[in-house]
Amino acid sequence: RKEVEQDPGPFNVPEGATVAFNCTYSNSASQSFFWYRQDCRKEPKLLMSVYSSGNEDGRFTAQLNRASQYISLLIRDSKLSDSATYLCVVNNWSTDKLIFGTGTRLQVFP
Amino acid sequence: DADVTQTPRNRITKTGKRIMLECSQTKGHDRMYWYRQDPGLGLRLIYYSFDVKDINKGEISDGYSVSRQAQAKFSLSLESAIPNQTALYFCATSDSDTRYGYTFGSGTRLTVV
C-alpha cells in the first residue's frame, strides 16, 4: 500500500463549480499535512498546510480526518486558472521526510 | 532572484555522457533534496542531505551521485547517462522542521538521446 494515495483524475469541471479531492495516508503517526499545486512542467508550490481544526484560504478549504486518515481539499467557485495537478503531502515521522502523492489532475472548462 | 535556483533549465545529452545538475538556495535551509518526476509516477526521491556532512540515498539512487559543496549548494551527477534517465528533475530545500514544507526549484528538463 502506498503511503499517500490520491485519485489521479482528471476531474473535469465547469467554471464556478465546487470540486473536492480526497487523499488517504497510511502512517497514523504523521503530523504534518499539505496540499501542493503543480502546473504542467512546473515545480510544485505549496498551496496550503492542513491543520487538525481545518483551515480555509479564500476559495480553498482543507480538512483533516485523523481517525480515517484522510485529507480533503475543497475548491469553491472554480476558475480556469485552478486547472493544475494537486499533490497531497504527508510527513513520514520515522524518516522525517515528506511523502508526496502522485497528484489529482483538475481541468476547469469555460 | 528565486529562493532555489537550478541550472541548467533544459539539457539534451548523449547516452554515456556525464552530466551535472546544480542547485543553489538562498533560504538558509539545512536540508536539500533531489527528485525526479516522470509522467504518472509522481516525485521520486533520488538523494537527500540533512546538512553539509550528511548524504543519504533515496528510493532511486542507482546511476546518480551527489555532492553537497556548501549549505547552499547541492549537485546531482549522472555518471553515465542513459535514455531512461530522461525526466524532469527538481531540487528542493527545507528547514529541519518539516511543518513548513519544502520549497522547490523550477526544475531541469533532461533528455538523454
Side-chain angles (χ1 to χ4, degrees):
Chain A
R1 181 185 174 188
K2 291 182 180 178
E3 285 191 71
V4 179
E5 295 201 67
Q6 298 182 250
D7 181 342
F11 284 63
N12 296 302
V13 303
E15 273 187 292
T18 295
V19 61
F21 309 136
N22 285 335
C23 161
T24 59
Y25 61 96
S26 61
N27 189 338
S28 60
S30 296
Q31 296 294 323
S32 301
F33 309 90
F34 311 87
W35 284 101
Y36 274 68
R37 172 194 167 124
Q38 185 174 24
D39 293 291
C40 188
R41 299 186 180 188
K42 298 289 183 69
E43 73 273 27
K45 292 185 178 179
L46 180 63
L47 178 66
M48 57 199 304
S49 300
V50 185
Y51 304 122
S52 295
S53 56
N55 47 303
E56 186 174 311
D57 182 2
R59 298 180 294 108
F60 298 83
T61 300
Q63 297 279 354
L64 169 64
N65 184 319
R66 286 190 184 273
S68 300
Q69 294 181 210
Y70 79 80
I71 307 155
S72 64
L73 177 67
L74 182 78
I75 305 175
R76 290 182 298 278
D77 189 22
S78 297
K79 311 292 184 190
L80 295 175
S81 57
D82 293 333
S83 297
T85 296
Y86 291 84
L87 308 178
C88 173
V89 185
V90 175
N91 82 312
N92 181 306
W93 177 81
S94 62
T95 64
D96 201 17
K97 298 195 301 294
L98 298 185
I99 307 301
F100 288 79
T102 53
T104 297
R105 187 168 158 232
L106 172 66
Q107 183 68 48
V108 181
F109 58 88
Chain B
D1 288 341
D3 292 328
V4 183
T5 302
Q6 290 184 236
T7 57
R9 292 295 305 274
N10 293 281
R11 180 74 181 267
I12 300 174
T13 192
K14 293 184 178 180
T15 297
K17 293 290 187 182
R18 185 176 189 272
I19 182 169
M20 179 182 289
L21 308 184
E22 300 194 19
C23 177
S24 62
Q25 53 118 345
T26 58
K27 294 191 70 73
H29 286 163
D30 287 326
R31 299 184 175 189
M32 299 186 75
Y33 312 83
W34 275 105
Y35 288 88
R36 68 176 278 175
Q37 188 173 42
D38 301 273
L41 294 179
L43 291 164
R44 291 186 290 168
L45 184 62
I46 306 171
Y47 270 95
Y48 63 101
S49 168
F50 279 2
D51 65 44
V52 175
K53 297 181 180 179
D54 176 75
I55 301 288
N56 303 282
K57 292 183 178 180
E59 56 185 304
I60 54 161
S61 59
D62 287 349
Y64 301 94
S65 63
V66 291
S67 172
R68 184 82 186 265
Q69 300 96 323
Q71 186 204 35
K73 295 182 182 294
F74 192 35
S75 301
L76 175 72
S77 293
L78 284 67
E79 300 302 324
S80 178
I82 56 177
N84 77 0
Q85 291 178 313
T86 294
L88 186 54
Y89 290 84
F90 289 109
C91 173
T93 73
S94 77
D95 197 4
S96 55
D97 187 340
T98 56
R99 285 182 298 169
Y100 303 106
Y102 293 178
T103 301
F104 285 84
S106 53
T108 294
R109 180 161 297 280
L110 177 66
T111 303
V112 184
V113 297

